[in-house]
Amino acid sequence: MNDIANLGLAEAARLVRARKVSPVELVEASLARIRAHDDVLRSFITVFEEQALQVARAAEMLSAAGHELGPLHGVPLALKDNVALRGSRTTAGSKLLADWVPEADATVATRLRQAGAVFIGKTNMHEFAWGGTSANPHYGAVRNPWDTDRFPAGSSGGSAVAVAARLCFGAIGTDTGGSIRLPSAINGIVGLRPTYGRVSNHGVIPLAWSMDTVGPMARSVEDCALMFGAIAGFDPKDAASAPRAVDDYLQDLEGGCRHLRIGIVPGYFFEHLQAPVHDAVQAAIAAFVELGAQVVEVDIGHIHGNISAQLTIESAEPSTYHQRSLRERPGDYGDDVRTLLEAGEMLLATHYLQAQRYRALLRAEFLEAFRRVDVFVCPSLPFAATRIGETSVEIEPGRPEDMLSAIMQFTGVASLTGLPSLNVPCGFDPDGLPIGMQLIGRPFAEAALLRAGHAFQQATDFHRRAPALA
């Protein structure tokens, strides 16, 4: 069972197609690991044990008859619990939605079903995705599989932990200010925030409408590319969905990164970091250079304002969405989320509009910079996993600072500009905790990010390492 659970998603899919592994075996391996480890990890809110086995048996019968539903046929995946799933409760990690059972799938769930995926369960998360720790007061604090005393980041912490701990083969997360990339970095997996509008948000409980995205989380870039191809594309049910053709994200995956122009922003990308993070990402850039890439320094004149603008938008929009519930059922929110929602109501319209003006300026600066570079590379976050329950972090020894602001230092850049961004594991700190780097690309250039990330993974083994419990 452990051998099967340690298969990569793409490898598992290939073995199912070759009839060397059955969908039932994949599901049973995932369920066995969930039973063995999730009482501690708390990565799932709901597990579909009987339902997943029934679907897997049906997928096995189809395979025996020579019929496959799609590229994910028979592979167990998990959904973050803010993604609606027909007939299954969807809580968004909240007491307010503890009994909500949607009547229809979110578009992303429909597309994964059509690709043949088997849903193994719904993952735990920071309540309503408004936070970066996944310390959920209603369903338990999610724990990092590399050290269960450490936090897994958030808000898609349950999805990241389930993938890293081999409880499923891939998972869906959502990312507003970094909620795919942050837990992917902290847990040593790959996570893709697509271009805003590339994947439908229809049927996903929102956090901040103008920045919300849905994306894949898996153990390798190839696995993410396979999932991403299944969920990307225009959806008329989502007003923000982009009417653009979808690339074949696997076709050019082996294209390498010779002549790739890597942009770095001096004075920002490598400032205010814990030393192991600094060293790991610099070593990753050096590895790219050895593979044929070149480094280009770029000035982004207004980059230093991104955290303030992000916090403004990511406070005002959630408070708007939750305004009625916050008045009618304030006690049903966790203390941290209620405080953030109340604070968001204190912002003025001028604050929000100035943040949106800044956002347009920052995007314009990055689009101009893409004339000179193909991708930007920077850390995903400036520190490794802290202990569960801590609300501050020491990036510089002896100088604690607010966790939420610190955690957004780098991910907010892609969130504000709507650009695609990929977290790729690139090292470990002295305590054996994962470190991730972030690749940021042009609008709708996810294929280029995936190609660069895959080239890095072909030359390194960080993504192949597993926590001891795996």
Side-chain angles (χ1 to χ4, degrees):
M1 284 295 182
N2 265 345
D3 289 343
I4 292 175
N6 275 290
L7 293 171
L9 184 153
E11 185 181 8
R14 285 192 289 268
L15 290 173
V16 168
R17 284 195 298 274
R19 299 187 205 169
K20 293 182 178 179
V21 171
S22 78
V24 172
E25 288 175 315
L26 296 179
V27 169
E28 287 178 339
S30 291
L31 290 173
R33 292 195 59 78
I34 291 170
R35 287 191 292 267
H37 299 293
D38 210 48
D39 283 349
V40 172
L41 297 176
R42 305 303 291 269
S43 64
F44 282 91
I45 290 176
T46 305
V47 177
F48 307 137
E49 186 160 348
E50 289 304 318
Q51 179 182 327
L53 285 168
Q54 288 176 1
V55 174
R57 292 184 191 108
E60 187 170 323
M61 290 175 65
L62 287 171
S63 292
H67 183 75
E68 294 174 358
L69 294 176
L72 301 173
H73 185 83
V75 180
L77 302 181
L79 296 174
K80 186 176 179 179
D81 206 29
N82 58 348
V83 178
L85 193 63
R86 181 183 70 248
S88 301
R89 72 169 183 161
T90 298
T91 72
S94 174
K95 184 177 179 180
L96 278 82
L97 298 178
D99 300 315
W100 183 51
V101 178
E103 296 181 356
D105 283 341
T107 296
V108 67
T110 296
R111 290 180 175 173
L112 289 172
R113 285 191 201 272
Q114 291 170 343
V118 179
F119 296 132
I120 201 83
K122 305 293 292 297
T123 55
N124 202 352
M125 55 184 285
H126 208 107
E127 183 179 9
F128 283 116
W130 197 182
T133 67
S134 299
N136 191 297
H138 313 294
Y139 303 100
V142 185
R143 294 179 176 273
N144 192 312
W146 295 87
D147 179 348
T148 55
D149 289 331
R150 308 280 180 151
F151 89 137
S155 62
S156 307
S159 291
V161 169
V163 171
R166 279 59 176 169
L167 310 188
C168 59
F169 293 83
I172 289 295
T174 63
D175 189 311
T176 305
S179 290
I180 286 173
R181 294 159 290 160
L182 295 168
S184 293
I186 288 288
N187 292 281
I189 66 168
V190 179
L192 174 66
R193 174 196 167 93
T195 307
Y196 181 75
R198 176 75 290 183
V199 177
S200 175
N201 285 326
H202 174 71
V204 180
I205 297 165
L207 176 61
W209 297 283
S210 69
M211 294 197 297
D212 289 346
T213 54
V214 179
M217 303 169 75
R219 294 196 290 273
S220 73
V221 172
E222 181 186 13
D223 293 350
C224 263
L226 186 61
M227 288 181 65
F228 184 51
I231 63 175
F234 176 66
D235 178 15
K237 296 178 181 178
D238 178 2
S241 182
R244 291 179 62 115
V246 175
D247 295 328
D248 182 342
Y249 299 105
L250 293 172
Q251 183 179 29
D252 196 31
L253 203 60
E254 303 289 345
C257 58
R258 184 165 296 280
H259 307 305
L260 181 77
R261 299 172 299 172
I262 292 176
I264 61 170
V265 182
Y268 191 80
F269 278 2
F270 292 98
E271 300 293 322
H272 196 53
L273 301 174
Q274 288 181 346
V277 176
H278 176 280
D279 295 346
V281 180
Q282 288 283 20
I285 291 175
F288 275 121
V289 171
E290 289 183 10
L291 292 170
Q294 58 180 301
V295 175
V296 181
E297 292 190 354
V298 179
D299 179 40
I300 304 291
H302 293 86
I303 196 170
H304 288 272
N306 77 85
I307 297 174
S308 175
Q310 182 182 353
L311 285 171
T312 298
I313 295 167
E314 201 172 330
S315 295
E317 293 186 8
S319 296
T320 302
Y321 177 77
H322 288 277
Q323 191 172 54
R324 180 172 179 177
S325 296
L326 190 62
R327 282 154 174 72
E328 295 178 350
R329 300 175 61 182
D332 287 342
Y333 288 92
D335 290 343
D336 63 329
V337 171
R338 185 178 66 251
T339 298
L340 289 168
L341 292 174
E342 289 170 347
E345 296 217 40
M346 300 298 105
L347 292 166
L348 301 176
T350 50
H351 297 149
Y352 180 77
L353 292 172
Q354 292 286 20
Q356 292 287 13
R357 291 181 67 227
Y358 167 82
R359 187 179 184 179
L361 174 63
L362 184 65
R363 179 179 171 86
E365 289 183 343
F366 267 92
L367 292 179
E368 176 63 27
F370 278 118
R371 295 174 181 269
R372 299 177 54 203
V373 304
D374 301 305
V375 302
F376 284 89
V377 175
C378 65
S380 292
L381 72 169
F383 55 91
T386 60
R387 297 196 177 276
I388 290 174
E390 293 183 358
T391 57
S392 63
V393 60
E394 288 190 9
I395 297 174
E396 298 176 11
R399 297 183 61 182
E401 55 189 271
D402 174 65
M403 172 85 74
L404 188 58
S405 297
I407 209 170
M408 293 177 170
Q409 182 173 335
F410 301 111
T411 56
V413 170
S415 296
L416 284 169
T417 55
L419 298 172
S421 178
L422 179 73
N423 175 78
V424 179
C426 68
F428 293 85
D429 78 351
D431 292 325
L433 300 170
I435 294 168
M437 67 172 164
Q438 184 182 197
L439 282 66
I440 303 172
R442 295 183 180 90
F444 303 101
E446 289 88 355
L449 294 182
L450 293 164
R451 184 169 61 250
H454 183 68
F456 179 79
Q457 291 196 327
Q458 295 297 99
T460 60
D461 70 348
F462 302 114
H463 65 292
R464 295 189 180 94
R465 302 183 196 179
L469 61 78

